[in-house]
Amino acid sequence: RAARPTVIGCQFDNDGDCVSISAQGLRKSPEFLVARCSATRVHDDFVENDTMQSGHIIDCVVDGTFTFCSTRYGSSGTPPDGSANTVVVSRCAVRLAGFQASFKAYKYGPNRHGPFFKVPTNPLEGVAPKFVISDCVFAAGADTQWGDLGPPPVCDASDVTLIWLGAPGTAWPAAALARWQACTTRLTVLSGFDTWTRLKESHANR
């Protein structure tokens, strides 16, 4: 946790929140930067930005996380309003995965995951920033325990690839897919773990 986080080239494994942006940072930091990081077995958020700051998440490969980016306030006090802020997500590859000890397994069940983007569901949880997403891969093999597999509510996206890893005969949930289609220029929908492995390695080797 830091007021002005700049996290570059870190490797995370078997962690809870990998990068957490502090409440103090909302007042003092113009933006955060998370770049060229890799993560596996993330039991909560890869980036916890519940203070709704502006920032950049660039060139990161996250192979197994409960959620990718959280912008949902859960503390006491006045909920932050991030509507004037922007989070840029670029050249990232992200796969959701549940674990036996995922976040609040007692509540959501073991081996379950949340959405890619954890966002407010009521005014007490704040107002999320806008997201600008480009050249990213998002992979999942099951629907979420809560939320959905769609983009954040305020989002401009381009060159996004969705990879479905579920059982034969299943597909990306229709409502979430429709939301990606509504906000994305050049959306590609693929399937198969081999496809994920190939694209993940391509992003990692850039």
Side-chain angles (χ1 to χ4, degrees), residues 88-92 132-137 156-160 203:
V88 175
V89 181
S90 181
R91 302 190 302 272
C92 291
V132 176
I133 301 171
S134 64
D135 193 10
C136 288
V137 177
D156 289 334
S158 61
D159 298 301
V160 170
H203 276 259

Side-chain angles (χ1 to χ4, degrees), residues 158-162 177 180-182 184-189:
S158 61
D159 298 301
V160 170
T161 299
L162 306 179
L177 179 59
W180 279 111
Q181 291 169 331
T184 306
T185 303
R186 295 181 298 276
L187 178 69
T188 303
V189 183

Side-chain angles (χ1 to χ4, degrees), residues 6 10-12 41 79 91 101 130 140 158 165 188-189:
T6 298
C10 291
Q11 296 179 327
F12 303 92
R41 298 189 297 170
R91 302 190 302 272
K130 176 182 178 179
S158 61
L165 306 174
T188 303
V189 183

Side-chain angles (χ1 to χ4, degrees), residues 97-194:
F99 305 96
Q100 187 67 26
S102 289
F103 176 69
K104 291 187 178 179
Y106 65 87
K107 179 178 180 180
Y108 300 115
N111 302 310
R112 301 297 300 270
H113 59 70
F116 292 103
F117 300 93
K118 187 191 300 182
V119 297
T121 59
N122 63 68
L124 295 178
E125 294 175 342
V127 180
K130 176 182 178 179
F131 279 76
V132 176
I133 301 171
S134 64
D135 193 10
C136 288
V137 177
F138 297 102
D143 205 352
T144 60
Q145 178 68 10
W146 45 268
D148 66 26
L149 297 178
V154 181
C155 177
D156 289 334
S158 61
D159 298 301
V160 170
T161 299
L162 306 179
I163 303 177
W164 182 247
L165 306 174
T170 64
W172 204 276
L177 179 59
R179 290 179 51 223
W180 279 111
Q181 291 169 331
C183 72
T184 306
T185 303
R186 295 181 298 276
L187 178 69
T188 303
V189 183
L190 304 172
S191 62
F193 213 92
D194 289 346

Side-chain angles (χ1 to χ4, degrees), residues 73-98:
Y73 189 69
S75 301
S76 59
T78 303
D81 182 350
S83 59
N85 298 334
T86 300
V87 175
V88 175
V89 181
S90 181
R91 302 190 302 272
C92 291
V94 182
R95 180 177 68 89
L96 295 178

Side-chain angles (χ1 to χ4, degrees), residues 16-21 32 34 42 44-50 56-57 60 65 67-71 87 116:
D17 296 324
C18 295
V19 179
S20 183
I21 315 303
F32 65 87
V34 180
V42 181
D44 199 358
D45 312 319
F46 174 63
V47 173
E48 182 192 65
N49 182 29
D50 295 344
H56 291 74
I57 308 172
C60 292
T65 185
T67 63
F68 173 57
C69 183
S70 174
T71 51
V87 175
F116 292 103

